[in-house]
Amino acid sequence: MSSKIQISKVCEFCGNEFTAQTTVTRFCGHTCASRSYKQRKKESKIGRTIEEVNQQKILSASDVHLEVIKQKDFLSITEAYTLLGISERTFYRLMKAGTIPTTKLGGRTIVKRSVIDKLFAL
């Protein structure tokens, strides 16, 4: 099926005006289409690299936070399950089973750091 449509368009890559034979044509030729593709792929790779670097920064910040937690004598529930590397739900199950004793201090529940250390004592 051929058509004799001729539409005046502007190339998305180089900005030159050209005559398109279909309504979906975006580029003036194969060269501009290829260059646009390469540019999109390059920007995609750069974007992924930036995301990886940001993720590494977040991980290093969490390492600093973990070092602060390790120095405390009493931990909140969040700090305790972060230090243990378990989920919140698992920590609450251990509390309920009596494996990890906790203390209420006002409205806060705290865990003694030495209790967590004793869990892993050999």
Side-chain angles (χ1 to χ4, degrees):
M1 176 174 174
S2 66
S3 106
K4 300 199 187 247
I5 298 174
Q6 291 190 346
I7 303 169
S8 181
K9 286 191 161 194
V10 176
C11 178
E12 289 182 16
F13 185 75
C14 66
N16 293 335
E17 193 170 318
F18 68 99
T19 304
Q21 294 181 353
T22 66
T23 57
V24 295
T25 304
R26 297 171 47 202
F27 305 104
C28 59
H30 180 70
T31 305
C32 283
S34 297
R35 288 179 181 167
S36 177
Y37 173 79
K38 285 182 91 172
Q39 183 178 7
R40 285 192 313 270
K41 287 297 180 183
K42 182 179 178 181
E43 289 170 358
S44 172
K45 285 182 180 180
I46 291 171
R48 280 192 303 243
T49 304
I50 290 171
E51 284 180 24
E52 289 173 6
V53 169
N54 289 339
Q55 188 66 22
Q56 289 172 352
K57 286 180 183 178
I58 290 170
L59 290 175
S60 66
S62 67
D63 290 341
V64 170
H65 182 66
L66 195 58
E67 290 301 319
V68 171
I69 291 174
K70 287 181 181 179
Q71 294 175 357
K72 290 184 174 183
D73 291 331
F74 297 95
L75 305 171
S76 69
I77 300 249
T78 306
E79 292 170 339
Y81 69 73
T82 301
L83 180 65
L84 290 171
I86 59 176
S87 71
E88 183 178 2
R89 184 71 196 125
T90 301
F91 187 81
Y92 279 107
R93 272 192 233 115
L94 293 172
M95 277 177 43
K96 187 176 181 182
T99 308
I100 300 176
T102 58
T103 307
K104 287 291 259 182
L105 186 63
R108 289 186 63 192
T109 304
I110 58 171
V111 181
K112 198 169 186 181
R113 173 65 200 277
S114 60
V115 170
I116 292 176
D117 291 339
K118 286 180 187 176
L119 287 173
F120 298 104
L122 295 175

